[in-house]
Each structure stands twice: as C-alpha cells, then as structure tokens.
C-alpha cells in the first residue's frame, strides 16, 4: 500500500462511472419502451437481460413461505434484531409538525407529511444483500410511507434470494416484483399495468440502474447516484495496525473500485499498516478484488500534525470515517464532512453496515460535503402553513403591496388590497 | 375561464420546458469551456450573451453604496422587516445534533453540520426580484453556511439592479459576481480563477440555467428544477369571488405558462369567479400575460363533495394552495401534497411571497408529492456517529460477523473478530 506524505491539497483518486453514450442511449430506449408498452416491454427485457420468462412479476405468499423455510432461523433472528436497532435509531429522526402563534392572530407553521409511495431497488447478481433491504425500507416505514414497493432482478429460474425476501418481510414490505435494471426504474417512475408508479426511488444498482435513476429524476425523486464504497481512517500511534488493516480490507473487498485510505500522524503506524494489509490480504477469500482495489485506490497519507490530518479528512469527505486516536472525541467537532463517523477501537465499520442502527446508505464520492445518510427526512416532505388574520393583514398589507409593486407585479398588490377594502 | 365538472382523475395541464437538444448541447459546450478556460470563457460569454465587457466580475463596495442611495428608504425598511420575518421562521427549522447512550457503552448519534459554501443564482432580465434573494440566502445563513455567493447576469451597462443588491446585503451576502446563464452555474460548480467553487447551487433561472443545473447535479447539490408558478384554490360558497379571482390573477401575471386553478363544491361560486376573472383582467397592467395564462392553463373544477375536492387537490399537488372554506382548519389534515398552504380569507398568496416568513421557493409541477419548500435542512447535512464499546462489541460482534458472512463478505467478519480476539 503506498505511503504518501501530505504536502498541500490531497485528493483521493475515485472511480466514477459516468456511463458511455451507448449505455445512456440503451437506458433511454428501455425507459421509453416501458412507458409505451408497459408490462409487455418489462416481460421482453426480463427475458432478454435476465434470461427468464415470467408471466407475473409479483412475489407470491408461497414464495415468501419457502424463503423462510430456506433461511437459517438463527439468521432470521439476527435480521430481526438488526431491523429493531435500525427502526429504533430512525425513529429518533422523526420530527413533529409545528406552528407559531402571534397575538395579532397570525399562525405560521410547518406540516410534515410522509410520501405516499416509495420504490426500493435491490440489486441482483452474484451476491444477496438483505442488509440493503433493511436500510432502505425501514426509514420509509418509520417515516409513515404507506406503500413501499421492492423490485429486484430475478435469477435464471425466476427467483429472488431467500434472505432478501426474509429481510423485506421483516422490514415490512408488502409489494415485491421480480423486475430489475432500467426497466424496473421505468416501471417505478411511470407505472405499468401491473406496477403502479411511486413518488421516490431509492437503492443501489449497476450502471444501467444509476443512469435510469438519473433519467427519471425530476419526474420522481431519487435518493442519490451512489459510487463505489469508501473508508478513511484517522489514526495515531495508539491504534493497532492489524485492526486498521482489517477495516481497510473490509472496504476493499467490496469492489475493485472501492477506496480505502488511512490518514495518520505516525510514520511508524503507516508502515505497520502497509505490512499488515499485505499479510491479511494473502488469506482473504476475495483477495483478488481487495488487492486490486488497494493497489488502484488505496493510500496511506502521513500528516505532520493532527490538524493537517483532520483537514485532509475534510477534503476527502469520505463515506465512512473511523477515528482511532487518543483524543478521538475531541476531534468530532472538527470533522465537517463524513457520511458516518465511527469512533474508537471497537467501532469497526461493519458494525454500522449491519447492526448498530444508523443507515449504511451513505454519500460517496465526496458528496458528504452536501449530502446525508439515508434518513427519515428523505421519506417525508414539508408544507408551509400560513394563516393571516384580518388584523395581521391590516398591519402589514400595505407593505406587502408595496413590495409586490416594486417587483412589477400589480396583481399581487391588488390581491392584498382587495381584502383591505373589502374587510369591513 | 373554463368550468369543468370533476368526473374521475383530474390532471392539470402543466408546461414543463425540457430544453431542446440544441439548448442542451449549448449548455454542455459552455460548461466544458468554463471548466477549461475559467475567467476567460466567462468574460467571452458575458460579452456574447449579456452584451457587456467586464474586466472584473466582483461587485464593489462602491456599487453597494450606490445601490442604497438609489433605493427608496421606505422600501429598504420593508426589506429589513421581511428579512427579519424570514429569518425568524427559518430559525425554527433548526435542529440540534443528538445522541443516545446505552448502558453497555454504545453511543449513537446524528451530527448536524452546515454546508461550507452555497451559490445563489438570481435571474436578470426585465424584472428584479429582491424577494428571491431573501428567500434563497436567509435559510443558508440561518443554517450556518459560512460562504454564500450570489451570481446574477449584468445588464448592458454592467450593473445589477439596486434592489437586488440591497436585498443581498440585508440577507448577509458578502460575495457577489456579475455573471449569469450556464456560465455562472459552471463557475459555481467547478470554479474559475476569480470564483471559488461551491457545494450547492440554488435559485431560479431561464432554461439555460435550468439545464446547466441539471448537468452539474451530482458534482454539486442543486435545489430543484423549478417550473412555472402554480396556485390551486379550494373554496366553498362562503368565499368571495372577487378575492379568489384576484389571487388566481396574481399567479397568472407571472408567466403565460403559470397555472391557476380553482376547485370548488359550488357551481355558483365557479360562475362568479369566472366572471370576476374576466372583469379584473381588463384593468390589469400585465393583462396580456395573465389572460394567456388563464386561457391556456387556468381551470375551475367543480366537485360533488368536499372530499372529492380535497382528493383533487392532492392529485394536483400544487405549489401554492389556498383554502377558503367554512371549515378550513378541519381540512388541513387531509391535504397531503402542497408546497405552501394558505388558510382563510386574509391569507392571500402574496402574503407568503414577500413577507410572512415561510419560503416562497416551493415545489412546482406536482413535485410537492415528494419535495419541500426551500428550508434550513437544504443547507445542512447529517453525519451518523457510532461509538461501540468493548462490551457492546462482545455482546453483538458474533451476530455482526455472521451477517457479513451471509452476504459473502469475509473481510467484514474478520474486521469485527480481530477485535474480539485482541480485546484482552
């Protein structure tokens, strides 16, 4: 793993898939096809891309029962406990509607309302990620969304992974379709005969899913366009090299394009971590992916001071940040940009991936500068409430009319003045 | 104004400018040009599109002084009072960071941090909208954003409107550039020699500005792609036709593509409002714009029951909603989708445009289904905080490792287990 002394500005190399013109064109074709021909188009694309013929896309009660039979009961109970932790954390994000009252009769407020419907995309392919189902569905459920739809591409036999179905049930999903890719995003955005449209689409996916989400953005809301996973670890000489190495590798094993970075004030630690990474890599099942990722996107930055190290973290704005320093809590206030912050030796990043409760859907690619972990606010919206009394309008109406006239909007001024005249 | 009896699903005709392929290509060229050549490109586009040669884009202290000299002092004091109301409302949206503690030592939390920097676009052209400056800047300021940049296209003499500059000062902007169009959005997103980049761009603009915001979305955050202004009024026979007509026209005068709709249970009111609209139109300065807008996008829907009327409102998800019915407060809980809700006879919509305090930047085009008025949350982001103790990891580590292995991520499991082994 390369060790780099921080000189000035640090930028980590990140891999963003923008999609080729060909891929974008393909996605546009699929979306317009699904808009025009609905279920028929879905069926064709599923046959062509997922290599399976489906009459109905709906998951049946029987398929759910079979899923519970297939999954180890101990795993089900871990999923239940994780779901409960996630629910409990996200419930604390709930906010009440509020209002203020004034003596002249004015009432102003903010009304919070859940979205009517949300679609959650769950990627298919080689691995099954029940944790992703929990993390996307539970905040929507806690927010009060009445209709939560899950879509995921079927395997060659027309099935979804049992653990994914179990997680969906435990999270409270009641509507599941075996549809994937850009065609699933199009169905969620615009609806088909068998799939009613939703107001927002969340969840990760491959480049076609990402491009399709970008395409429908505006007609429906989307969560984000996620990039490869990232971790930055801020550590000093009090941290253990073997634990840091293990955490770096836990990101690296996700994807050859994942990004794992250590920022430290200790050259001794830097060297020890570099050695440990090599050592642990040799015995890792996914060592090919992880070693490619470490070679291409891994780095150890050595800073001259803690302040410089913290500033480097803020420049990186990492998805995951671990702080393993003597005075970790003191640094928390200085961290401006990070999706999730794990503090101390025992807060290894996988704790947050599965179990602790905070969301694992986090802003990647430096977007922690302006984005948040997926949370309850993402599934609610606000409406302003304005109640002016006769007295309030008498007090302020002339000023409002003058402001309107200054902007050249006479009808605005008159709408106020007609009340002032007519109010007796 | 056409009167339509509600039969089944109601959809209002809305005008969305998607931009032509030509416009999209132009915007892409401008953005890539600004990224490559910085200030030089800005200078060229300003000369070409705004017809003025500028050496420096910065607004000077002297220009600010001149603006205050030009603007009527009574108007300045109205701007100050409006700014204070807006500030006061948005301060109530502020939320604290929070944490939870458990007996086993676990601490979970959510840390709220302001964005570092925000760019506010203020459109140029024939009219000056100081209210738009207040509504975009003040929430950012309240959120704690340190650097707020305003950009706006200069007129043919290289100036910005005096009222816009005064509003910017009263809102607390310290950095203003005379740059407009797609070139301004590119400068804000990627930076030039004289304009440092920002993390988020807000504010309305023409189709080129909208396309440019869509183009840079992801690299920076944006507020929304706003469509033409809309009002829906829900009224019964207790409401006054002249006041309703005045409010409909206050939307209609904005833009020929603005949308003004009345939904009522009273055919008598429907007819009276249609007549009043015609009458008031004849004496309106912007009657050409307003009558075109009413003809193309105006409608009066007559519902059979209050419930049907409310459901129609929810289907429309209007930007502005006025409720003028006998039992208006009772209906508030049934309204699921609306940007801002004005209740009662004296809450004419312009009250909210300028003065009351809630934001006038609101979701248009039905996006109130999933979007909110511009608010303090838009200028802050959250970071999750996870602190696991030794005890917490001992309690839950095995379950976390099992979840990771179930998803095929061995390095995740090992990152947890290395602590369990090494924790003595």
């Amino acid at each position: 793993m390369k060790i780099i002394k921080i000189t000035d500005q640090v930028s980590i190399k990140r891999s963003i898939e923008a999609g080729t013109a060909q891929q974008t064109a393909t996605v546009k074709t699929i979306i317009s096809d699904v808009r025009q021909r609905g279920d028929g188009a879905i069926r064709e694309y599923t046959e062509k891309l997922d290599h399976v013929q489906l009459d109905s896309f709906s998951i049946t009660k029987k398929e759910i029962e079979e899923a519970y039979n297939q999954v180890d009961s101990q795993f089900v109970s871990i999923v239940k406990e994780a779901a409960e932790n996630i629910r409990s954390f996200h419930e604390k994000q709930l906010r009440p509607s509020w209002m203020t009252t004034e003596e002249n009769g004015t009432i102003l407020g903010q009304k919070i309302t859940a979205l009517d419907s949300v679609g959650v995309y769950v990627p298919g392919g080689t691995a099954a990620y029940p944790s992703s189902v929990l993390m996307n569905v539970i905040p929507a459920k806690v927010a009060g969304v009445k209709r939560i739809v899950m879509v995921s591409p079927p395997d060659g036999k027309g099935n979804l992974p049992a653990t994914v179905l179990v997680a969906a049930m435990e999270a409270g999903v009641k509507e599941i379709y075996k549809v994937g890719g850009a065609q699933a995003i199009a169905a969620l955005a615009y609806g088909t005969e068998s799939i009613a449209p939703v107001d927002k689409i969340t969840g990760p996916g491959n480049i076609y899913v990402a491009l399709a989400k970008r395409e429908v953005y505006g007609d429906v809301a989307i969560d984000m366009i996620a990039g490869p996973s990232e971790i930055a670890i801020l550590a000093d000489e009090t941290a253990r090299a073997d634990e840091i190495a293990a955490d770096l590798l836990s990101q690296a094993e996700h994807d050859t394009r994942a990004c794992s970075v250590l920022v430290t004030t200790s050259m001794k630690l830097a060297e020890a971590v570099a050695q440990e990474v090599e050592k642990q890599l040799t015995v890792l099942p996914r060592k090919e992916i992880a070693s490619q990722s470490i070679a291409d996107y891994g780095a150890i930055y050595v800073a001259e001071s803690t302040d410089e190290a913290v500033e480097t973290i803020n420049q990186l704005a990492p998805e995951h940040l671990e702080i393993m320093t003597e005075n970790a809590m003191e640094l928390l206030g200085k961290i401006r940009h990070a999706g999730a912050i794990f503090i101390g030796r025992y807060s290894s990043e996988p704790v947050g991936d599965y179990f602790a409760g905070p969301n694992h859907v986090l802003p990647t690619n430096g977007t922690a500068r302006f984005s948040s972990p997926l949370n309850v606010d993402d599934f609610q919206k606000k409406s302003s409430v304005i109640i002016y009394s006769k007295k309030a309008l008498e007090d302020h109406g002339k000023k409002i009319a003058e402001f309107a006239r200054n902007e050249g909007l006479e009808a605005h001024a008159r709408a106020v003045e007609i009340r002032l005249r007519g109010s007796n």
Side-chain angles (χ1 to χ4, degrees), chain A:
Chain A
M1 209 170 169
K2 37 184 179 298
I3 298 177
I4 302 160
K5 281 199 191 171
I6 294 173
T7 47
D8 188 17
Q9 191 91 357
V10 164
S11 73
I12 48 178
K13 186 180 156 197
R14 280 165 159 140
S15 164
I16 310 306
E17 251 185 315
T20 62
Q22 172 71 54
Q23 287 170 326
T24 304
T26 302
V27 163
K28 283 187 192 222
T29 305
I30 293 174
I31 291 174
S32 101
D33 229 22
V34 171
R35 290 185 79 163
Q36 277 171 42
R37 299 193 295 118
D39 283 346
I42 298 279
R43 214 165 268 124
E44 278 175 34
Y45 284 112
T46 303
E47 188 172 350
K48 187 173 159 193
L49 302 169
D50 301 314
H51 313 293
V52 60
Q53 283 190 328
L54 291 181
D55 288 329
S56 161
F57 310 115
S58 270
I59 285 282
T60 61
K61 228 174 154 177
K62 188 155 163 277
E63 285 173 285
I64 298 291
E65 279 166 21
E66 281 168 9
Y68 272 89
N69 290 336
Q70 276 175 49
V71 176
D72 178 67
S73 69
Q74 196 188 328
F75 185 69
V76 175
S77 81
I78 296 174
V79 167
K80 278 182 199 285
E81 192 173 346
E84 187 45 44
N85 289 345
I86 297 165
R87 203 171 289 123
S88 165
F89 184 83
H90 288 81
E91 279 170 356
K92 296 187 180 77
Q93 294 174 334
L94 283 166
R95 287 189 289 182
S97 298
W98 54 260
M99 65 170 184
T100 63
T101 60
E102 291 170 41
E103 285 198 14
N104 69 2
T106 303
I107 298 179
L108 302 175
Q110 183 171 283
K111 178 180 187 284
I112 309 273
T113 315
L115 271 58
D116 281 351
S117 56
V118 166
V120 173
Y121 189 91
V122 177
T126 48
Y129 295 115
S131 62
S132 174
V133 177
L134 301 182
M135 292 293 182
N136 278 277
V137 172
I138 292 173
K141 199 85 189 171
V142 169
V145 176
K146 293 225 175 79
R147 179 170 168 254
I148 301 173
V149 184
M150 192 177 100
V151 295
S152 191
D155 65 18
K157 290 177 180 163
N159 296 320
L160 296 188
T163 55
V164 162
L165 292 180
V166 165
M169 287 302 109
E170 295 301 327
V173 182
K174 298 203 174 62
E175 198 179 334
I176 306 175
Y177 300 103
K178 297 181 274 191
V179 187
Q183 60 275 23
I185 302 301
L188 290 175
Y190 304 109
T192 70
E193 299 90 322
S194 65
I195 304 174
V198 299
D199 294 319
K200 182 163 190 164
I201 302 173
T202 75
N206 64 18
I207 184 68
Y208 293 97
V209 172
L211 289 172
K213 281 167 72 180
R214 189 178 266 272
E215 203 63 36
V216 302
Y217 164 70
D219 290 335
V220 296
I222 62 171
D223 51 347
M224 63 176 78
I225 309 288
S229 198
E230 310 160 352
I231 193 169
I233 300 179
L234 176 60
D236 63 15
E237 66 291 344
T238 65
R240 287 178 61 137
D242 57 347
E243 295 173 358
I244 293 171
D247 292 355
L248 292 171
L249 290 174
S250 79
Q251 282 308 300
E253 78 170 339
H254 270 296
D255 188 337
T256 53
R257 300 179 307 126
C259 176
S260 308
V261 168
L262 167 65
V263 181
T264 180
T265 44
S266 163
M267 181 55 88
K268 199 178 146 199
L269 182 75
E271 286 164 353
V273 168
Q275 273 187 1
E276 267 292 331
V277 165
E278 296 310 316
K279 188 178 138 197
Q280 293 182 24
L281 256 178
T282 58
V283 290
L284 206 61
R286 293 165 71 93
K287 69 180 159 198
E288 289 197 12
I289 292 171
S291 54
Q292 187 73 51
S293 159
I294 291 288
D296 288 352
Y297 299 101
I300 299 175
Y301 290 103
V302 179
E304 298 230 328
S305 67
T306 305
D307 277 353
E308 188 182 56
V310 167
E311 196 37 44
T312 300
I313 295 295
N314 282 326
Q315 281 171 28
L316 302 178
E319 181 191 17
H320 303 96
L321 170 65
E322 289 183 358
I323 309 180
M324 286 187 263
T325 61
E326 202 174 5
N327 57 349
M329 286 305 288
E330 287 177 24
L331 298 182
L332 183 56
K334 292 187 178 176
I335 302 297
R336 297 200 311 281
H337 313 305
I341 306 168
F342 297 78
I343 296 176
R345 181 177 168 192
Y346 297 103
S347 309
S348 177
E349 188 270 335
V351 165
D353 282 341
Y354 300 110
F355 197 81
N359 212 289
H360 81 193
V361 180
L362 297 166
T364 54
N365 189 31
T367 59
R369 286 183 292 118
F370 49 75
S371 298
S372 303
L374 192 68
N375 66 91
V376 164
D377 295 346
D378 292 319
F379 299 103
Q380 298 184 323
K381 71 270 178 20
K382 301 145 203 159
S383 300
S384 303
V385 178
I386 297 171
I387 309 178
Y388 249 37
S389 63
K390 184 179 173 188
K391 175 79 166 63
L393 201 69
E394 283 169 358
D395 288 350
H396 304 301
K398 278 189 185 167
K399 292 176 269 186
I400 296 166
E402 185 171 337
F403 208 139
R405 288 208 170 90
N406 181 286
E407 294 194 349
L409 296 172
E410 177 67 22
H412 283 61
R414 291 185 188 177
V416 170
E417 286 168 348
I418 199 170
R419 268 89 171 177
L420 294 177
R421 276 203 308 278
S423 72
N424 44 12

